[in-house]
Structures are given as structure tokens and as C-alpha cells.
Amino acid sequence: MRIDIITVVPDILTSPFDVSILKRAIEKGLVEIHLHNLRDYVTDNYQQIDDYQFGGGAGMVMMIEPIDKCISALKAERNYDEVIYMTPDGGTLNQKMANTLSLKENVIILCGHYKGVDQRVRDHFITKEISIGDYVLSGGELAAAVLCDAVIRLIPGVLGNETSALTDSFQDDLLAPPVYTRPAEYNGWKVPEILTSGNFPKIETWREDQSYLRTRKLRPDLLKDE
């Protein structure tokens, strides 16, 4: 999978891909991450990529021309499955969306900044708009990092145990069950006996029950059929 990220501040995005699981995925050749500084696609001495909005109002707007040049240059080299715009008024990122995107081959992510982008960018270039929540960030870079993390960990071979992602919260519209590790007793707090019984069919049933109970208590909105 190849992900091209268009940004005004690429330095924000260097750290997330230089550690842990994402770094290993890149080193294994399972994913390519390419950062593109939007200022490289302007010709004026001031490297201007934003301007005042027509009609007046507070806040600067990212201009269409440098974005067009960047996206067009990328599309001239390969076909892209999605051109994604990170924006607080996009569709909310969820596990189903991450699963779908993990199957794509080439993806562009455009990070918004300032007051956002010229609407014509959204009308003519963007194929999918994604939000990570109902709040506003200074730019789309951190949201893009969240999206990449959610998607990349689902690519086969990225996690040490590929079944791990299948048991994460939201994969089956339920929260994950509680988990425990050694010691079996600490300060008088004991691990549920079923988990140390060695009876794996009963353990699996217990986990399924706990997953349902946690979801019903904490996120009843996920239980759509009730």
C-alpha cells in the first residue's frame, strides 16, 4: 500500500511513522508513506498557499492551484483508489471504514489547514472526506496520522499476530473483552478463574459474554438491533 500525504507542515508527520508498528510496516515494505510539502508546488517567492476568502470573513483559505498541481503530479505517476480530505465535517472514522481502506493500493490524503480548502478542491478532486471526531484541530496532520495508524495495522503482516486485529474493539460492532496478564493475583485482586482454567472453549464463551456486557454498559449505541 502507498499513502501520499499532502501537507503544509510535513514536520508534524515525521515522528508517527518513525516508531513502533508503523515504522516496522514501512521497513518490511508493506506500506510506503510519502510526505508532500504543498509549498513545493507554488512559484512565487513567498511560497503562498493560502489567501483571503471571497465575501469576507475571518480565516485564510488554502488555494486551489497548488493543491491541483500536487494531486495532478501524483496522478500522472499512478492511479489512486481514493483522494481523502481530512476535515471535521467529513464522515466519522470508524473500524469499518478503516477495514475498507486497508484493502486499497494507492491513497492520497490531503490535510486541511487554516480555515480549510477552496470548495472547488472538494468538489472536483476529493473522493472521500473523513473526520476523527466532532472537534476542530489546527490542521489535518494529526488526524491523518490517526487514520494511517488505524488502516496500516490492518494490513496483513504488519502485526506480529494477524488475529490480534480481528479481536479489537468494533470489529464485530462490540467492544473488546477485559484482558489480564501475570501475576494472577496482585494486592488481593485476582484474575477471573476461567482464564486460568485451560478450558479454551469456555474461555472463548466468557470473552464473548464479557464483550457483549461491556458494549451494553459503555456503548449501547453499537447494539443497533436491541
Side-chain angles (χ1 to χ4, degrees), residues 56-75:
M60 305 293 279
V61 178
M62 294 173 66
M63 301 162 67
I64 187 172
E65 185 175 2
I67 296 173
D68 178 16
K69 288 182 177 179
C70 184
I71 292 177
S72 296
L74 291 172
K75 284 186 172 181

Side-chain angles (χ1 to χ4, degrees), residues 51-61 115:
D51 208 339
Y52 295 102
Q53 55 182 305
F54 282 119
M60 305 293 279
V61 178
K115 195 67 175 178

Side-chain angles (χ1 to χ4, degrees), residues 132-143:
I132 62 168
D134 294 338
Y135 48 89
V136 178
L137 300 172
S138 298
E141 286 75 19
L142 297 179

Side-chain angles (χ1 to χ4, degrees), residues 6-58:
I6 304 172
T7 169
V8 178
V9 280
D11 289 348
I12 294 179
L13 285 164
T14 55
S15 177
F17 300 108
D18 200 33
V19 293
S20 191
I21 292 173
L22 300 187
K23 180 182 180 180
R24 292 198 296 272
I26 294 170
E27 291 176 341
K28 289 180 180 179
L30 298 173
V31 63
E32 293 181 35
I33 303 293
H34 298 270
L35 304 180
H36 304 275
N37 190 335
L38 195 58
R39 297 188 191 279
D40 293 338
Y41 293 86
V42 295
T43 55
D44 68 282
N45 294 332
Y46 298 100
Q47 293 189 310
Q48 183 178 358
I49 48 82
D50 63 310
D51 208 339
Y52 295 102
Q53 55 182 305
F54 282 119

